[in-house]
Amino acid sequence: MPDGMIQKERKKRIIKQAAMKAILVIILVCIAMITFLLLFQVRKIEVSGNQYLSRQEIADWVQDDNWSSNSLYVMIRNHLMNHELLPAMEEANVTMKNPWTVKVTIKEKRVAGYIVSGDECIYFDKDGIVLAKTKELWDGIPCIEGLEVKKVQLYKALPVSKANKKAFGNLLDMTMTLKKCDLAPDKIVCSGSDLYLFFGNKCVNVGHTNLEERIMQISPILEKLGDQGGTLYLENFNTDNITITFEKDVIPDLGT
């Protein structure tokens, strides 16, 4: 066979092999895409760690765009991309239990207190953002009295009146100190700019300044008072004035 014919046959074989390889690659890519689209389909979302966010709210957050029906995409987006958390979320950990089940473990923002508005309890966080509106009464959350509010919107700042803004600001500043000191008052009353904390049959007036310093005095004093009821006056306590008074069996009438 002439050399020219041999060369042509060789080129044909090379072209045929290249075409076969290309077809094989296309087939493999198609199989991978079909597997990606069909196997990694979100059919179930398991949620844990939520108290006031509903399972449906969290599920809607997981699947909030056109591609989020795919579990592999959900993993990539939540671990490598900036997927904005819901306003009530502190953290969210999204994992794949299997190709069709996504597991979401969340940490909600801590509730600082609640007010009663009509027949609803309005719960808010340390920044004054409304986290929940519900008829349920949650344990361990102090009731805040003495605040006037306008129309309340979920995940918006609690709309306190102008007269209450200073007291509410002091209240929010105080919440972290209460947590640090492991103090959980039954209720907190805002009267003017002053704050009154109620622990069972005891009232503590912490005023409106030097709140961290004053709150740190409460636990050891309450322990010493035992079952005695009355009012503890801390509104004038500071580094220059360490006088603390307690008036037994007297609870102030704050008009709430």
Side-chain angles (χ1 to χ4, degrees):
M1 183 179 292
D3 290 343
M5 293 293 293
I6 294 172
Q7 291 293 331
K8 285 182 180 179
E9 288 296 323
R10 186 175 297 168
K11 285 182 180 179
K12 286 181 180 179
R13 284 199 302 271
I14 293 172
I15 293 171
K16 187 176 180 180
Q17 289 174 356
M20 291 298 293
K21 288 180 180 178
I23 292 170
L24 181 60
V25 169
I26 292 170
I27 291 172
L28 291 174
V29 169
C30 289
I31 292 173
M33 289 182 66
I34 291 170
T35 301
F36 177 81
L37 293 173
L38 296 182
L39 178 61
F40 292 93
Q41 283 288 317
V42 178
R43 298 189 183 95
K44 185 178 180 182
I45 299 175
E46 296 182 356
V47 177
S48 62
N50 60 312
Q51 179 184 2
Y52 47 85
L53 279 171
S54 69
R55 183 205 167 280
Q56 189 58 52
E57 285 178 298
I58 298 168
D60 290 344
W61 170 76
V62 170
Q63 296 186 290
D64 63 353
D65 63 32
N66 294 332
W67 287 93
S68 55
S69 60
N70 185 275
S71 57
L72 199 57
Y73 167 79
V74 169
M75 293 302 99
I76 294 170
R77 183 190 60 181
N78 283 277
H79 289 277
L80 300 178
M81 301 166 66
N82 183 25
H83 187 208
E84 187 176 354
L85 298 176
L86 292 175
M89 288 181 178
E90 188 76 38
E91 299 173 2
N93 183 34
V94 182
T95 56
M96 190 190 300
K97 189 173 181 179
N98 52 50
W100 52 87
T101 304
V102 171
K103 186 175 181 180
V104 187
T105 304
I106 69 163
K107 179 182 178 182
E108 295 171 325
K109 290 183 178 178
R110 192 178 69 87
V111 178
Y114 75 94
I115 64 168
V116 176
S117 179
D119 61 349
E120 285 188 318
C121 295
I122 312 297
Y123 294 89
F124 57 89
D125 68 9
K126 63 181 179 61
D127 298 314
I129 304 301
V130 176
L131 299 178
K133 297 167 65 178
T134 175
K135 294 182 180 181
E136 295 179 9
L137 191 60
W138 298 344
D139 293 335
I141 309 297
C143 179
I144 313 301
E145 299 181 359
L147 294 177
E148 296 179 7
V149 298
K150 301 174 184 177
K151 186 177 179 181
V152 176
Q153 296 183 58
L154 201 59
Y155 307 135
K156 301 291 184 181
L158 190 69
V160 298
S161 67
K162 187 176 180 180
N164 290 147
K165 282 193 180 296
K166 185 175 181 179
F168 189 56
N170 289 336
L171 170 69
L172 297 178
D173 291 340
M174 184 177 65
T175 56
M176 294 306 293
T177 306
L178 288 172
K179 181 182 179 184
K180 184 169 67 176
C181 295
D182 198 26
L183 284 169
D186 302 314
K187 70 175 180 178
I188 301 172
V189 177
C190 302
S191 181
S193 58
D194 287 349
L195 298 172
Y196 294 80
L197 282 59
F198 287 80
F199 301 87
N201 62 351
K202 300 175 185 64
C203 172
V204 182
N205 181 358
V206 293
H208 59 272
T209 58
N210 302 316
L211 294 177
E212 182 173 359
E213 188 178 5
R214 293 171 184 176
I215 289 168
M216 292 177 69
Q217 312 304 313
I218 295 175
S219 287
I221 296 174
L222 292 183
E223 188 174 347
K224 289 180 181 178
L225 289 173
D227 295 331
Q228 296 182 77
T231 299
L232 179 65
Y233 297 95
L234 286 171
E235 72 273 23
N236 295 316
F237 180 88
N238 56 49
T239 53
D240 298 320
N241 179 14
I242 60 172
T243 302
I244 297 174
T245 59
F246 177 72
E247 194 171 7
K248 188 178 178 180
D249 298 328
V250 174
I251 299 294
D253 181 7
L254 300 173
T256 57

